[in-house]
């Protein structure tokens, strides 16, 4: 399918893009329509106001002419001239004529649209005009002064006589060679026997009216026309009079021309005004806003695409990393075909494997719990306590109360008392877990109040007192974090070991154990024990060992661990003897048994057995052991050559031998007596220092090689070399 060919990454991009674009399209569509309609209404209202203002201004021109006509009817000189059959300037009063001229000229100057104003007296067939400034006859006026086609018609007199109401005609006028178009406004002034005998005429220029329209609606495609009683007085449309009068304006604006139409009728003049405004004019603002809105929509769409791409990449990256981890689970061609379904299948496979793993974990839960508890007691890196408790919860281990502690005893005691310990713990509000760790039976305690733990310890002590056998328990100092359990375990073990050394049955708390002190095993005692063993003197070796042991036990501040160190050093002394005697494997089994000892009696038994084996071997191989002793004496003297206390008696005491026996063995080894060998060795060493260190004083050199007195050093040096040390340095 087509959808299978699209990668999961592209689907994410499309999903995010559609998720972003659908609301954007909806908002833009609704906003586009609302803003467009609002701006259209505002544009239409703007042109409606402009149209109304323009119509009012045009209407005011004609209203002012009607009012002027009414005013002039009240003038006496006008009334006088109406009934005169012949109008001559000589017959007029100069003042009256002046008033006439000024009033006509003044009114015509009030508005630039009124180009011409005149009276027509039908009785005398004469005109009084602002242009001629006097009285002219009909022929002169219509052919020269105000030349136009309408008044040159033969029936115009009849039309003028039958004028009952204002009439308006479109004329092209030639006024002394000045041609222009306009509207001739005819108003009846006086009637006699049903006929008009005097009319007032105004000539309104079309171009002045068009200028008013241009100010309001300057666009070329905005149409306007003015109609009165079936006569089109002003036409700014591409249609003829007949077409305009035959149109329905609303239908014309809505369907035929796609323009907005406005109409207005004047109550005072009876004019009908019509205008058609193009959609480009009405919607000009709307179109600008539409462009802005579409531009913003495009910008947001582009931003949405990049945002969608970013979100898709960010969400796809974990999927991609997951695919890299499990890509070897399915064939590669399936990955290329449809990574989404491949990932779905791969995850399903992993979940199935996880389900099987959970089953295996459930089966192996006891082993996991034991491993977890063992890990808790080890001195290694521990994560945050919350993570440890989370792991404990997964293994269904009820930890989490504020206080932790450890109860510890030997594995043997734990196996015997496990059931009773668990029964006692069941009586208290204490969470616990038991395990075997480093050959110890350990109970990890978790409780809320120290009083609860104290009651448990008392019950344990009462139970132990009733036992015939001796059991040794240790308890560490309580802590407030599970991370501190390794230290608590160590404290409990030290408390238990202290109890074992003192051979006291019961429970020992770490805070009751006195601080450790170093064990007692000086070097001279080690030499004495070693020499007795090398000499095959069993009773004397046992005596030295017991004295050392008693010395350590008398010191109550020597802990169990320090006693273990003491026993370990005695063990090393015995191993040194095997090296000197050049025997291997004689005491290996006994040495291995020492690691399993937990009681003082066990240590004593094994060491006595080791001493017996070494002494029996020495006595059975006396000759070879003498050579070993000679070598030991020689090495001891060589190691202590610079010691000022070195003497035959010092060596004999170190090896627990007599002076004569040491002297004899030493002479057999070196071929000379002890004193001579010691002095010669010291002088040879002094000679090397004299030659290599010229700044060192003679006295300091003597002290360094083992002589307390400078005089003794000089005397012995001269005895063996024949010269003094100073002379030797100068050679």
């Amino acid at each position: 399918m087509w959808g299978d060919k699209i990668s999961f990454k592209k689907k994410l991009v499309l999903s995010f893009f559609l998720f972003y674009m659908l609301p954007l399209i909806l908002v833009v569509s609704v906003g586009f329509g609302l803003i467009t309609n609002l701006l259209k209404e505002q544009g239409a209202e703007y042109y409606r106001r402009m149209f109304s203002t323009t119509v009012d201004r045009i209407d005011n021109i004609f209203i002012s002419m009607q009012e002027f006509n009414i005013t002039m009817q009240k003038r006496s000189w006008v009334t006088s001239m109406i009934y005169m059959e012949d109008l001559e300037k000589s017959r007029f009063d100069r003042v009256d004529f002046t008033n006439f001229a000024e009033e006509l000229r003044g009114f015509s100057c009030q508005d630039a649209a009124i180009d011409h104003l005149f009276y027509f007296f039908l009785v005398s067939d004469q005109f009084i005009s602002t242009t001629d400034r006097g009285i002219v006859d009909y022929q002169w006026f219509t052919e020269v002064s105000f030349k136009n086609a309408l008044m040159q018609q033969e029936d115009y007199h009849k039309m003028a006589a039958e004028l009952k109401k204002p009439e308006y005609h479109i004329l092209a006028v030639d006024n002394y060679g000045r041609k222009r178009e306009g509207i001739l406004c005819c108003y009846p002034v006086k009637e006699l026997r049903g006929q008009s005998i005097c009319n007032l005429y105004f000539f309104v220029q079309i171009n002045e009216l068009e200028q008013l329209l241009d100010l309001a609606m300057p666009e070329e495609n905005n149409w306007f026309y003015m109609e009165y009683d079936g006569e089109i007085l002003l036409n700014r449309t591409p249609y003829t009079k007949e077409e305009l009068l035959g149109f329905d304006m609303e239908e014309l604006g809505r369907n035929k021309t796609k323009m907005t139409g406005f109409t207005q009728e004047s109550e005072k003049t009876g004019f009908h005004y019509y205008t058609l405004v193009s959609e480009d004019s009405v919607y000009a603002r709307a179109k600008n806003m539409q462009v802005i809105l579409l531009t913003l929509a495009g910008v947001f769409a582009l931003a949405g695409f990049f945002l969608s791409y970013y979100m898709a990449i960010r969400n796809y990256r974990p999927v991609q990393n997951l695919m890299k981890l499990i890509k070897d689970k399915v064939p590669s061609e399936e990955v290329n075909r449809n990574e989404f379904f491949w990932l779905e299948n791969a995850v399903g496979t992993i979940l199935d494997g996880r389900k099987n793993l959970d089953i295996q974990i459930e089966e192996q839960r006891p082993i996991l719990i034991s491993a977890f508890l063992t890990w808790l007691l080890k001195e290694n890196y521990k994560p945050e306590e919350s993570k440890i408790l989370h792991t404990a919860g997964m293994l269904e281990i009820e930890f989490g109360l504020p206080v932790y502690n450890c109860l510890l005893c030997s594995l043997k005691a734990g196996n015997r008392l496990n059931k009773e310990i668990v029964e006692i713990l069941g009586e208290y509000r204490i969470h616990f877990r038991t395990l075997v760790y480093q050959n110890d039976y350990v109970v990890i305690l978790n409780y809320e109040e120290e009083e609860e733990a104290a009651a448990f310890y008392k019950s344990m002590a009462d139970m132990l007192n009733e036992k015939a056998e001796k059991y040794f328990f240790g308890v560490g100092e309580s802590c407030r974090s599970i991370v501190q359990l390794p230290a608590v375990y160590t404290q409990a073990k030290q408390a238990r070991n202290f109890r074992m050394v003192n051979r006291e049955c019961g429970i020992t708390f770490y805070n009751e154990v006195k601080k450790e002190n170093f064990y007692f095993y000086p070097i001279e005692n080690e030499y004495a024990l070693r020499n007795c063993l090398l000499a095959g003197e069993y009773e004397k070796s046992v005596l030295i060992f017991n004295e050392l042991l008693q010395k350590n036990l008398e010191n109550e501040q020597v802990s169990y661990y320090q006693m273990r160190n003491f026993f370990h050093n005695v063990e090393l002394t015995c191993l040194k003897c095997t090296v000197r005697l050049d025997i291997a494997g004689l005491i290996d089994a006994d040495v291995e048994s020492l690691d399993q000892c937990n009681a003082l009696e066990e240590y004593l038994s094994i060491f006595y057995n080791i001493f017996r084996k070494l002494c029996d071997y020495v006595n059975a191989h006396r000759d070879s052991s003498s050579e070993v002793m000679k070598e030991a004496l020689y090495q001891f003297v060589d190691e202590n050559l610079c010691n000022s206390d070195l003497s035959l008696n010092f060596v004999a005491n170190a090896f627990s031998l007599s002076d004569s026996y040491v002297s004899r063995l030493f002479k057999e080894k070196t071929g000379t007596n002890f004193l001579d060998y010691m002095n010669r060795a010291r002088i040879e060493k002094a000679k090397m220092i004299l030659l290599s260190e010229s700044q060192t004083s003679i006295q300091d050199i003597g002290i360094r090689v083992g002589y307390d007195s400078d005089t003794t050093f000089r005397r012995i040096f001269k005895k063996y070399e024949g010269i003094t040390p100073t002379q030797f340095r100068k050679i």
Side-chain angles (χ1 to χ4, degrees):
M1 295 178 63
W2 177 77
D4 296 341
K5 298 180 181 179
I6 301 178
S7 66
F8 182 56
K9 181 179 179 181
K10 293 180 180 178
K11 288 181 180 179
L12 281 176
V13 174
L14 291 175
S15 299
F16 279 107
F17 186 67
L18 291 177
F19 181 77
Y20 175 84
M21 285 301 297
L22 288 178
L24 179 64
I25 293 173
L26 180 62
V27 171
V28 170
S29 301
V30 175
F32 188 85
L34 292 176
I35 293 176
T36 300
N37 292 334
L38 178 62
L39 293 176
K40 285 180 180 179
E41 292 178 0
Q42 290 181 352
E45 182 62 26
Y46 168 78
Y47 279 101
R48 183 180 290 107
R49 291 197 304 269
M50 294 298 295
F51 170 69
S52 178
T53 302
T54 304
V55 166
D56 290 341
R57 294 184 64 181
I58 295 175
D59 215 36
N60 287 335
I61 295 174
F62 294 95
I63 292 173
S64 65
M65 291 188 294
Q66 291 180 0
E67 293 175 350
F68 181 76
N69 179 36
I70 296 172
T71 302
M72 295 304 294
Q73 289 178 8
K74 299 177 182 180
R75 296 290 187 266
S76 59
W77 61 270
V78 174
T79 305
S80 301
M81 289 188 295
I82 288 174
Y83 298 101
M84 290 184 180
E85 295 182 358
D86 186 17
L87 298 177
E88 295 181 2
K89 293 182 180 180
S90 59
R91 298 179 62 183
F92 281 103
D93 184 272
R94 182 174 296 277
V95 176
D96 292 338
F97 185 77
T98 301
N99 291 338
F100 156 76
E102 290 299 328
E103 286 198 58
L104 293 184
R105 190 176 297 109
F107 180 77
S108 64
C109 293
Q110 289 181 4
D111 199 316
I114 302 175
D115 181 70
H116 210 82
L117 189 152
F118 56 91
Y119 278 95
F120 177 41
F121 299 96
L122 279 76
V123 176
S124 60
D125 202 22
Q126 291 179 324
F127 290 88
I128 297 178
S129 170
T130 56
T131 303
D132 297 311
R133 298 187 180 183
I135 302 171
V136 296
D137 58 19
Y138 186 88
Q139 184 177 1
W140 172 267
F141 185 80
T142 58
E143 294 182 359
V144 178
S145 176
F146 196 73
K147 185 178 180 180
N148 63 87
L150 177 65
M151 290 186 174
Q152 291 176 357
Q153 296 177 5
E154 295 180 356
D155 59 347
Y156 184 74
H157 285 83
K158 182 179 179 181
M159 292 172 59
E162 295 177 354
L163 185 65
K164 304 296 184 181
K165 62 178 182 178
E167 292 184 0
Y168 303 93
H169 304 279
I170 300 297
L171 294 179
V173 176
D174 184 354
N175 181 221
Y176 296 107
R178 186 164 60 92
K179 297 179 180 180
R180 54 201 181 279
E181 292 183 356
I183 302 173
L184 182 63
C185 307
C186 308
Y187 296 98
V189 178
K190 189 66 176 177
E191 292 184 5
L192 182 64
R193 291 185 292 275
Q195 290 187 344
S196 177
I197 59 175
C198 180
N199 296 331
L200 178 61
Y201 295 87
F202 298 88
F203 183 72
V204 180
Q205 297 185 79
I206 294 295
N207 61 341
E208 293 294 336
L209 298 180
E210 289 180 344
Q211 288 181 8
L212 293 177
L213 294 174
D214 290 338
L215 292 175
M217 295 173 288
E219 290 81 359
E220 295 180 357
N221 52 353
N222 294 337
W223 301 343
F224 178 89
Y225 72 94
M226 183 172 64
E227 180 263 336
Y228 176 78
D229 198 18
E231 183 72 21
I232 303 300
L233 302 180
L234 180 60
N235 185 6
R236 294 188 66 182
T237 71
Y239 301 105
T240 62
K241 171 184 176 181
E242 291 75 14
E243 290 175 332
L244 290 176
L245 294 177
F247 286 153
D248 182 352
M249 287 303 299
E250 294 184 359
E251 187 69 21
L252 177 66
R254 183 169 57 251
N255 298 328
K256 190 171 183 179
T257 62
K258 295 183 180 180
M259 303 175 77
T260 302
F262 305 105
T263 63
Q264 185 171 330
E265 181 180 0
S266 175
E267 295 180 357
K268 293 183 179 181
T269 62
F271 292 158
H272 290 83
Y273 300 93
Y274 302 91
T275 185
L276 291 171
V277 182
S278 66
E279 290 184 352
D280 293 338
S281 299
V282 176
Y283 303 155
R285 296 183 181 181
K287 288 184 177 180
N288 294 335
M289 186 56 66
Q290 288 173 354
V291 172
I292 295 174
L293 188 61
L294 291 176
T295 302
L296 290 176
V299 172
F300 280 109
L302 186 62
F305 175 77
F306 285 107
L307 180 63
S308 302
Y309 183 79
Y310 168 75
M311 294 294 294
I313 293 299
R314 192 179 71 171
N315 285 271
Y316 178 71
R317 189 172 291 114
V319 177
Q320 188 178 30
N321 295 335
L322 180 61
M323 290 173 59
K324 290 180 180 179
L325 293 175
I326 61 177
K327 195 170 184 179
D328 56 342
K329 302 294 183 181
V330 294
S332 58
E333 58 271 10
E334 187 174 348
V335 178
N336 297 328
R337 185 177 65 83
N338 193 314
E339 57 185 0
F340 180 76
F341 291 109
W342 170 84
L343 183 61
E344 182 181 5
N345 295 332
V347 171
T349 302
I350 293 175
L351 291 177
D352 292 339
R354 175 60 185 272
K355 184 178 180 180
N356 296 331
L357 180 61
D358 291 340
I359 296 174
Q360 295 178 6
I361 290 176
E362 188 64 30
E363 295 175 352
Q364 302 296 327
R365 185 177 298 276
I367 299 175
L368 294 175
I369 291 175
S370 177
F372 173 73
L373 296 176
T374 301
W375 174 79
L376 280 181
L377 299 181
K378 286 184 177 180
E379 288 283 356
N380 52 12
Y381 168 76
K382 294 291 190 299
E384 297 178 0
E385 184 173 6
S386 59
K387 295 182 179 180
I388 297 176
L389 294 177
H390 176 71
T391 305
M394 293 177 62
L395 295 173
E396 299 180 358
I397 299 176
E398 295 182 357
F399 283 162
L401 296 178
V403 186
Y404 296 88
N405 209 330
C406 285
L407 176 70
L408 181 143
C409 66
S410 65
L411 180 59
K412 181 178 179 181
N415 291 333
R416 292 181 179 179
L417 302 178
N418 177 63
K419 184 177 180 180
E420 297 180 56
I421 294 174
V422 172
E423 289 178 355
I424 295 175
L425 282 169
E427 300 175 1
Y428 300 93
R429 295 189 301 274
I430 299 177
H431 297 164
F432 67 93
R433 284 287 175 171
T434 62
L435 73 152
V436 176
Y437 181 63
Q438 294 184 354
N439 293 323
D440 293 323
Y441 177 82
V442 183
V443 183
I444 300 176
L445 306 174
N446 180 222
Y447 48 90
E448 188 170 4
E449 298 178 356
E450 292 287 354
E451 293 77 6
E452 195 78 13
F456 163 69
Y457 298 143
K458 186 177 183 305
S459 299
M460 280 290 299
D462 295 340
M463 182 267 291
L464 294 176
N465 291 333
E466 296 175 357
K467 300 294 182 181
E469 298 183 26
K470 291 185 177 182
Y471 296 103
F472 310 101
F473 284 81
V475 178
E477 291 184 341
S478 60
C479 64
R480 292 278 174 174
S481 174
I482 196 171
V483 179
Q484 300 174 354
L485 276 179
V488 176
Y489 163 74
T490 302
Q491 295 170 359
K493 192 166 186 177
Q494 291 179 4
R496 189 278 311 269
N497 293 338
F498 181 83
R499 172 72 66 174
M500 291 176 62
V501 171
N502 290 274
R503 307 301 298 165
E504 296 178 3
C505 176
I507 300 176
T508 301
F509 297 91
Y510 178 75
N511 54 10
E512 298 175 355
V513 178
K514 296 182 179 179
K515 301 302 179 182
E516 296 183 3
N517 195 9
F518 201 72
Y519 60 89
F520 179 78
Y521 192 45
I523 186 66
E524 56 271 17
N525 293 85
E526 181 185 8
Y527 285 157
L529 178 60
R530 183 183 63 180
N531 293 334
C532 289
L533 293 174
L534 293 176
E537 299 177 357
Y538 173 75
E539 290 78 5
K540 196 171 184 178
S541 300
V542 171
L543 179 61
I544 295 173
F545 175 74
N546 289 336
E547 289 177 353
L548 291 171
L549 181 61
Q550 187 64 30
K551 187 72 174 179
N552 283 286
L553 292 177
E554 289 176 356
N555 187 356
E556 295 181 354
Q557 293 185 349
V558 177
S559 68
Y560 173 79
Y561 280 104
Q562 294 297 337
M563 287 299 297
R564 288 288 297 264
N565 290 334
F566 166 70
F567 291 139
H568 179 66
N569 278 275
V570 175
E571 173 189 336
L572 292 178
T573 302
C574 296
L575 291 174
K576 291 177 182 178
C577 292
T578 60
V579 174
R580 290 288 182 89
L581 296 173
D582 194 20
I583 53 177
L586 180 65
I587 61 173
D588 288 351
D590 298 288
V591 171
E592 291 179 1
S593 300
L594 289 173
D595 294 334
Q596 308 299 325
C597 292
N598 288 317
L600 181 61
E601 291 81 359
E602 296 176 0
Y603 280 108
L604 294 177
S605 175
I606 294 174
F607 274 116
Y608 291 162
N609 190 38
I610 292 174
F611 295 163
R612 173 65 67 184
K613 288 182 178 181
L614 290 174
C615 291
D616 289 346
Y617 180 84
V618 170
N619 293 327
H621 304 80
R622 175 63 63 180
D623 294 337
S624 59
S625 61
S626 297
E627 294 298 324
V628 173
M629 181 59 69
K630 292 176 184 179
E631 183 65 27
L633 290 172
Y634 180 78
Q635 289 184 3
F636 181 81
V637 172
D638 192 55
E639 292 172 358
N640 293 273
L641 185 64
C642 296
N643 187 353
S644 59
D645 294 332
L646 182 63
S647 63
L648 184 62
N649 183 258
F650 178 82
V651 176
N653 290 335
F655 284 84
S656 299
L657 301 174
S658 63
D659 293 355
S660 58
Y661 182 66
V662 172
S663 178
R664 180 173 60 82
L665 291 177
F666 199 83
K667 189 172 183 179
E668 291 176 358
K669 175 66 177 177
T670 62
T672 183
N673 60 51
F674 175 81
L675 184 60
D676 186 56
Y677 174 82
M678 181 185 68
N679 287 329
R680 284 189 178 278
R682 286 179 174 178
I683 295 303
E684 289 297 324
K685 194 168 187 177
K687 288 164 62 176
M688 295 177 61
I689 298 174
L690 286 169
L691 295 176
S692 60
E693 300 179 15
S694 59
Q695 301 299 324
T696 305
S697 65
I698 302 299
Q699 183 179 2
D700 291 340
I701 294 175
I703 294 173
R704 285 174 61 180
V705 297
Y707 294 105
D708 292 336
S709 170
D710 176 55
T711 303
T712 303
F713 171 61
R714 292 177 182 272
R715 178 175 56 81
I716 294 176
F717 189 92
K718 188 174 183 180
K719 175 182 177 181
Y720 283 93
E721 297 298 327
I723 56 177
T724 64
T726 304
Q727 293 173 339
F728 179 82
R729 174 175 279 177
K730 292 179 180 180
I731 296 177

